[in-house]
Amino acid sequence: MSSTLAGAFGVAALFVAVLALVFAIQALRARTDTSDQVTPAPLPDPAPQPEQPEAKPGTVKSELRRLSKELDATRGELKETLQHLAVVRYDAFGDTGGKLSWSMAILDNNGDGVILTSINSRADARTYAKEVRSFTSESKLSPEEQEAIDTLRKESGPTVD
């Protein structure tokens, strides 16, 4: 779970760095522009561009290209991280009270991941883990486990493009 947050923060930090670089370019152009009219720098286009001649290393243009490539790679990696979470709490035995049992589905954008279940009684607790592929499991799922997966299936969709 912490690696997922670290990945999300990494993507956010990279995005902020690209925005800061774009604003720095705009400020530099505004200072060096001799006319009264300042034209803002175009934002980088996320659509793939035809190959252009490589800019000189160390220039703003080359750094923007490098950051754009890194951002695309990070987005691809982030799609495969376990980033969707659903928890269903319930009382597995009528005498324990307090809904101490739970099932938690942790999945990526493809519906792959794991479902963890803890069944709590007065005397003990048992924990189970079941593999999930494409929102289904080869293991038999309890109604609560299926509910957690169904919750994520309904909410599924790309979180990062």
Side-chain angles (χ1 to χ4, degrees):
M1 186 72 173
S2 64
S3 65
T4 301
L5 288 176
F9 284 128
V11 169
L14 192 57
F15 180 73
V16 170
V18 168
L19 282 178
L21 197 52
V22 169
F23 288 127
I25 292 169
Q26 287 178 337
L28 184 60
R29 284 186 180 172
R31 268 194 252 151
T32 56
D33 194 8
T34 55
S35 69
D36 289 11
Q37 237 179 12
V38 176
T39 57
L43 293 174
D45 188 9
Q49 298 288 328
E51 286 298 318
Q52 298 176 2
E54 194 62 35
K56 293 180 185 175
T59 63
V60 172
K61 194 173 196 176
S62 70
E63 287 301 306
L64 276 174
R65 284 189 183 149
R66 184 184 63 79
L67 287 172
S68 177
K69 288 177 185 176
E70 286 181 18
L71 183 59
D72 288 341
T74 303
R75 284 179 175 155
E77 291 170 4
L78 191 58
K79 288 180 181 181
E80 297 174 358
T81 61
L82 300 176
Q83 55 185 316
H84 304 285
L85 175 88
V87 177
V88 176
R89 296 181 61 89
Y90 54 97
D91 188 2
F93 306 101
D95 62 347
T96 57
K99 294 187 176 184
L100 299 176
S101 298
W102 50 266
S103 293
M104 175 173 51
I106 308 171
L107 307 176
D108 65 8
N109 279 353
N110 301 318
D112 299 339
V114 65
I115 185 146
L116 303 172
T117 297
S118 178
I119 306 293
N120 294 284
S121 68
R122 289 184 186 269
D124 63 351
R126 295 182 184 204
T127 305
Y128 305 92
K130 298 176 184 176
E131 183 178 13
V132 177
R133 294 273 175 213
S134 299
F135 299 102
T136 59
S137 178
E138 291 181 7
S139 304
K140 183 163 175 48
L141 298 176
S142 71
E144 294 82 10
E145 291 168 331
Q146 190 62 53
E147 180 183 345
I149 290 175
D150 289 343
T151 298
L152 293 182
R153 182 183 291 128
K154 289 175 191 169
E155 296 173 1
S156 70
T159 56
V160 177
D161 272 343

